[in-house]
Amino acid sequence: MTGAPAPHGDHPAHDDPAAHDGPALRALLREVVADPARLPLLVALDFDGTLAPLQDDPEASRILPDAVAALRDLARHTDVVRLALVSGRPTGDLHRLADVPPGTVLIGSHGAERSRVGAHGLDADVITLTDDQQDRLDRLGAEMQAVARGRDGVWVEQKPAAVAVHTRMADPAVGDEAERDALVVGGRLGSKVLHGKKVVEVSVLDADKGAALVALRDELGARTVLSAGDDVTDEHAFEALGADGVTLKVGPGDTVARFRVPEPQDVADLLGGLAADLSGEPLPGAPAGA
């Protein structure tokens, strides 16, 4: 990519779990949108833990109102900004739970699915599995149900090309045991095994967020990519973008991201600032020059 920003400064996010790099990132994004050589900008965001606070019940997750407003404002600048969600959720769930504007690309199931939000619904790409992949997916579902059986708080999610074992609502010791068993099953039946926060997801396709995001970047001709996420699976995206990417870790945990903020509200505030910069308007209540 041309016109990429220089590497992050004296305190990389992965060295300081308590870092709050919002102001530095805001300043960098202001520079990006002022430089035609760095545009268009692809804003690619995880959902849970990034735009929506984490919930024990995934059905309770909702995007923060400030993020909804900011994304709608950003969507008005189609000449310079492209929007995408990059999540472990199926794209159908993303469309149902994430209030994002038409034109937003949804990359789901850690890169295995891709859709686009239309004015009247979801324009989804169809996943076609081979007979072997479908057979392994069926076996995965059955064996992961056996992993969860008898373990309170452990539940199984079936996706179009993957099966996930969730342990967020389980006792920690029970959850750890379930995750270990799920990893064993995944090593035997999966093409891709992802171990995230209180979840083990096994796909019969060889896909990850990084490869999917790079493919979207190249397809759109984006010269700068802002990628934000909170989970270990988002590290694939950060690593794939490398020094050219504007990468943002949300919350604690080791990361290769160049910036870090503590919580989803900080992401919403950054998006609001970016939208204000594109509109040439100050944020409400902000002092001149903020």
Side-chain angles (χ1 to χ4, degrees):
M1 280 185 287
T2 61
H8 190 35
D10 296 329
H11 54 284
H14 54 80
D15 287 344
D16 185 1
H20 191 322
D21 297 320
L25 180 51
R26 173 78 195 280
L28 174 57
L29 291 174
R30 186 181 290 120
E31 294 176 8
V32 168
V33 299
D35 184 356
R38 298 184 181 183
L39 301 174
L41 167 67
L42 172 58
V43 178
L45 310 165
D46 186 23
F47 179 65
D48 296 284
T50 300
L51 292 173
L54 288 173
Q55 305 288 340
D56 287 340
D57 179 4
E59 285 297 309
S61 293
R62 294 294 183 274
I63 186 171
L64 290 170
D66 287 346
V68 173
L71 290 173
R72 288 178 180 170
D73 288 344
L74 288 172
R76 298 189 179 103
H77 299 277
T78 55
D79 53 333
V80 292
V81 174
R82 312 287 187 268
L83 298 177
L85 298 189
V86 185
S87 172
R89 287 182 182 264
T91 56
D93 284 358
L94 277 179
H95 185 235
R96 180 168 52 84
L97 297 174
D99 186 3
V100 294
T104 303
V105 175
L106 304 182
I107 295 175
S109 298
H110 300 287
E113 294 183 84
R114 182 164 146 181
S115 305
R116 185 181 296 272
V117 178
H120 304 290
L122 190 63
D123 181 12
D125 293 349
V126 177
I127 293 179
T128 301
L129 301 179
T130 66
D131 290 343
D132 171 70
Q133 290 167 339
Q134 185 62 57
D135 179 64
R136 283 191 290 129
L137 183 64
D138 293 341
R139 291 163 61 196
L140 267 174
E143 295 201 25
M144 292 307 194
Q145 289 292 349
V147 167
R149 193 171 298 122
R151 287 169 164 157
D152 290 341
V154 179
W155 62 280
V156 176
E157 179 185 10
Q158 185 79 43
K159 300 184 180 184
V163 177
V165 175
H166 296 268
T167 64
R168 189 174 299 277
M169 294 187 286
D171 176 85
V174 172
D176 289 345
E177 290 179 355
E179 289 173 31
R180 285 196 293 269
D181 289 349
L183 288 169
V184 171
V185 174
R188 181 161 41 83
L189 294 175
S191 296
K192 194 84 172 186
V193 180
L194 300 172
H195 193 184
K197 293 179 179 178
K198 303 298 183 181
V199 61
V200 173
E201 179 163 328
V202 182
S203 176
V204 298
L205 299 178
D206 189 8
D208 64 49
K209 290 182 178 182
L213 183 53
V214 167
L216 180 64
R217 176 199 68 189
D218 294 346
E219 178 183 320
L220 297 177
R223 293 185 175 179
T224 307
V225 181
L226 167 62
S227 174
D230 74 303
D231 206 346
V232 294
T233 59
D234 296 299
E235 297 298 317
H236 295 125
F238 301 157
E239 291 168 357
L241 294 173
D244 287 345
V246 182
T247 49
L248 174 64
K249 170 75 171 181
V250 184
D254 292 339
T255 186
V256 299
R258 294 166 54 195
F259 298 88
R260 188 195 298 270
V261 295
E263 59 185 10
Q265 184 61 52
D266 299 306
V267 179
D269 293 343
L270 282 164
L271 296 174
L274 176 60
D277 291 337
L278 287 167
S279 299
E281 300 173 356
L283 286 172

